[in-house]
Amino acid sequence: MSLLELNRIGHAFFGRTVLEGITLTVERQEIVALVGPSGSGKSTLAHIAAGLVEPREGRVARRYLRHAMVFQDPRLMPWATAAGNIGFPLRLSRAPRRMRRRMIGDAALRAGLLPEDLGKYPSELSGGMRQRAAIARALVTDPDFIYFDEPFTALDVALKRRMQDLVIEAAASARFAALFITHDLLEAIRISHRILVLDAGGRGIAGERLPPGNPGTRDEAAIFALRQHYLTADPLFAHIHDIDERLRP
Amino acid sequence: MSLLAACLDRLARLGRFLWSAWAGLAGLALIGALWQAGHEAYGDFILTAPLDTLAAAARLLHEGRAQELLALTTARALAGFGLCALIGTLAGVAAGYSPATLRLSRPVLTLLLGVPPIAWIVLAMIWFGPSDMTVAVTILISATPVVFVGAVEGVVTRDRGLDDMARVFGAGPLRRFLFVSARQISAQLFPALILALGSAFKVAIMAELLANAGGIGGALARARAMLDIAEALAWVSLAVAALIAVEYVLIRPVRAELERWREAAAPWGVKR
Ligand SMILES: Nc1ncnc2c1ncn2[C@@H]1O[C@H](COP(=O)(O)OP(=O)(O)OP(=O)(O)O)[C@@H](O)[C@H]1O
Ligand SMILES: [Mg+2]
């Protein structure tokens, strides 16, 4: 049984169809990358899958126990410290107070935040630290499914690499499945078991590719070569960079 | 351990606050100087010297009756303020969440704000006579719109992204409101509450004076009848002092507690 199953999902905003006939599944402990040009409806799809948006048509079957999401922006509460933000899901799930401190510290460490940063407010953190706090918040309840919505777009290349490694490691050790949205092919290849390409107009999944090997074991040269191959020789990825949302009819 | 740290943090904040009182004192001294200059230019009858006014205020306080009147006016203002804070916040939050109610309440608000407060005093006098009720109703009607608008603003301008975030992590509507929205609403609400408190005091004194309902307003009316400028100024100073005391004892500490993060976000020069 798949952990997440979307069946013929369709959605429209104010009469304008954004998604149509999207069917996809995510298996246990699998990281699926979803790529597609900007404005093709990736975020909308993630929000539908997570239950934030009610789809106009289609069915969503969620068979995981607990999910979490890392949004496109960090979405930290400015009035709470990093620790307060990371511990927010624990507060919601009524985890015993005594255990929270340790769990927050654990999650922060896994996301690469130092204990001395935990007492700071989001306005006192750097952009990368804020994103790490958002990741720690997603990890803290040990969910078995995590939605990542282009979480690293705003980060510089080196930090991005470190964050990707961090997700790969966390997925391997905590055994969660994930739907990882990105429009960076390199990131998709590095991080996922399977790459889905969303049609540029949101009309279905255009196709899927399985990069050989497992995330974390592929070497850099192979990843880079595969990306070049996808971009130059694979028709599936032909439109991935060339469409601007405003050019759509 | 963390309790100790929290206490130390509060103490440090109190210390910084007391230290910043020097700036306030400097401002007061400036006002005092201008006042003194005015006194020397126009004489005792128009403007009593600040020190004489202070002496008059001290005498009023020592006579004992002043404390009673101050307490009466403060209690009336606070009662009106409490009522308007409660009603304004509840109605504002409800209207903020329901666009239909908001559209309905807009014209009502315009109407209420258009009527001069003095008209309400006259009406309330006719309805309730010279009593606490007159004062309370006048405060309620003139100060509630400010609170209402503050609460609506807070709800409408809240960050919906945070709502979605809370929902993803499993918060239902109630906990989304308590944990995420309430904090954002309070940020808009507190300035409105401070404004409302100030106007509650002013309206209370005005209503007392016009309705002859005792309190500081009544004392002011008496001072005017006897053309006792020193006593009038003394009463005004006492009223202002009472307002400031209430504001700094009642509202500022709560606000400081809720907005600790804002202080952390402020640049260094502004912080101290
Ligand atoms: N709340 C909304 N109301 C109206 N239209 C919306 C809303 N959210 C998204 N859209 C529209 O839906 C389309 C898909 O948006 P979405 O955010 O899902 O794109 P995306 O694939 O995530 O893009 P990006 O890669 O830039 O994040 C866009 O054309 C956008 O204008
Ligand atoms: Mg998006």
Side-chain angles (χ1 to χ4, degrees):
Chain A
M1 284 284 245
S2 319
L3 270 193
L4 175 73
E5 206 174 315
L6 303 188
N7 206 341
R8 311 199 58 75
I9 294 292
H11 194 65
F13 283 114
F14 310 115
R16 195 168 70 96
T17 304
V18 177
L19 294 170
E20 209 178 308
I22 310 279
T23 298
L24 70 84
T25 58
V26 180
E27 305 300 324
R28 204 165 288 283
Q29 290 179 41
E30 184 187 36
I31 302 185
V32 172
L34 181 69
V35 299
S38 181
S40 57
K42 304 182 297 293
S43 296
T44 309
L45 189 61
H47 288 184
I48 288 174
L52 285 179
V53 174
E54 199 56 36
R56 220 180 47 162
E57 53 194 40
R59 265 182 332 104
V60 181
R62 304 180 190 94
R63 303 203 183 83
Y64 46 74
L65 297 172
R66 192 198 290 278
H67 68 203
M69 188 183 258
V70 182
F71 292 87
Q72 213 159 343
D73 43 346
R75 300 209 181 173
L76 301 175
M77 301 175 286
W79 58 84
T81 58
N85 271 293
I86 295 172
F88 184 61
L90 296 176
R91 205 166 141 208
L92 289 175
S93 66
R94 302 205 169 83
R97 231 167 243 282
R98 293 190 54 80
M99 290 165 59
R100 283 190 211 167
R101 273 267 290 272
R102 213 201 62 240
M103 293 168 86
I104 292 171
D106 270 5
L109 216 57
R110 273 201 287 165
L113 271 183
L114 296 175
E116 68 243 37
D117 295 329
L118 286 180
K120 291 181 181 163
Y121 290 96
S123 55
E124 297 172 298
L125 298 173
S126 75
M129 283 151 91
R130 276 178 227 165
Q131 200 54 276
R132 272 178 277 175
I135 293 175
R137 179 177 62 191
L139 295 175
V140 76
T141 46
D142 264 320
D144 49 347
F145 199 100
I146 303 186
Y147 296 92
F148 291 92
D149 186 1
E150 304 192 39
F152 311 141
T153 316
L155 306 184
D156 68 74
V157 181
L159 192 54
K160 207 170 181 173
R161 284 278 300 278
R162 278 196 21 225
M163 304 303 281
Q164 289 163 0
D165 291 340
L166 201 146
V167 169
I168 296 169
E169 251 168 58
S173 63
R175 302 169 179 284
F176 57 77
L179 183 64
F180 196 102
I181 292 171
T182 175
H183 53 222
D184 176 358
L185 264 185
L186 219 49
E187 182 167 80
I189 297 169
R190 183 173 286 133
I191 226 168
S192 71
H193 295 93
R194 188 151 59 94
I195 301 174
L196 296 177
V197 181
L198 188 63
D199 174 70
R203 309 211 172 344
I205 299 288
E208 69 171 21
R209 291 290 177 270
L210 293 163
N214 273 320
T217 61
R218 304 172 185 131
D219 73 280
E220 289 305 312
I223 291 175
F224 214 77
L226 190 58
R227 168 176 176 269
Q228 280 321 97
H229 170 73
Y230 281 164
L231 282 179
T232 53
D234 195 331
L236 185 59
F237 296 94
H239 295 292
I240 196 111
H241 288 316
D242 66 7
I243 286 221
D244 187 291
E245 185 214 335
R246 278 154 296 189
L247 296 179
R248 283 169 67 187
Chain B
M1 152 75 204
S2 72
L3 190 72
L4 184 71
C7 286
L8 279 178
D9 181 48
R10 304 295 186 285
L11 265 180
R13 218 148 23 98
L14 187 65
R16 273 207 298 280
F17 172 73
L18 288 179
W19 182 245
S20 74
W22 287 115
L25 224 55
L28 281 183
L30 191 66
I31 293 177
L34 286 175
W35 185 347
Q36 181 71 33
H39 160 71
E40 280 167 19
Y42 295 105
D44 233 358
F45 189 66
I46 303 290
L47 206 58
T48 316
L51 280 180
D52 291 345
T53 308
L54 277 185
R59 206 179 52 243
L60 285 176
L61 276 180
H62 274 297
E63 273 174 17
R65 204 173 49 92
Q67 290 172 23
E68 235 169 77
L69 293 186
L70 261 178
L72 180 64
T73 301
T74 305
R76 282 170 170 169
L78 280 183
F81 168 73
L83 219 58
C84 94
L86 190 74
I87 293 176
T89 306
L90 288 181
V93 168
Y97 277 103
S98 139
T101 317
L102 186 58
R103 243 168 292 166
L104 253 175
S105 62
R106 280 255 159 80
V108 177
L109 216 63
T110 316
L111 204 85
L112 280 184
L113 284 173
V115 180
I118 198 95
W120 291 116
I121 297 178
V122 172
L123 286 177
M125 263 166 64
I126 296 172
W127 291 334
F128 305 110
S131 68
D132 287 357
M133 203 59 181
T134 308
V135 182
V137 166
T138 317
I139 292 173
L140 189 64
I141 292 175
S142 53
T144 306
V146 180
V147 181
F148 178 86
V149 170
V152 168
E153 246 354 72
V155 175
V156 173
T157 60
R158 77 192 194 278
D159 181 356
R160 279 151 212 268
L162 289 179
D163 270 1
D164 276 353
M165 183 278 293
R167 201 141 68 125
V168 156
F169 289 107
L174 183 66
R175 285 195 294 168
R176 274 209 300 281
F177 176 76
L178 289 178
F179 291 169
V180 178
S181 305
R183 283 303 282 262
Q184 300 179 66
I185 296 170
S186 75
Q188 302 272 344
L189 197 57
F190 270 103
L193 283 180
I194 290 177
L195 214 63
L197 180 65
S199 84
F201 264 87
K202 284 176 247 175
V203 170
I205 292 173
M206 192 163 67
E208 282 173 349
L209 193 150
L210 288 167
N212 197 16
I216 295 179
L220 264 179
R222 214 175 50 98
R224 190 206 52 180
M226 313 200 2
L227 288 181
D228 189 343
I229 182 77
E231 195 176 319
L233 281 174
W235 281 116
V236 171
S237 322
L238 286 178
V240 171
L243 167 62
I244 291 176
V246 168
E247 181 176 326
Y248 277 89
V249 168
L250 198 72
I251 291 196
R252 297 276 172 164
V254 181
R255 184 182 189 185
E257 196 55 39
L258 282 176
E259 309 225 321
R260 222 137 42 89
W261 61 279
R262 249 188 236 287
E263 193 180 347
W268 272 92
V270 178
K271 216 178 261 189
R272 298 289 140 89

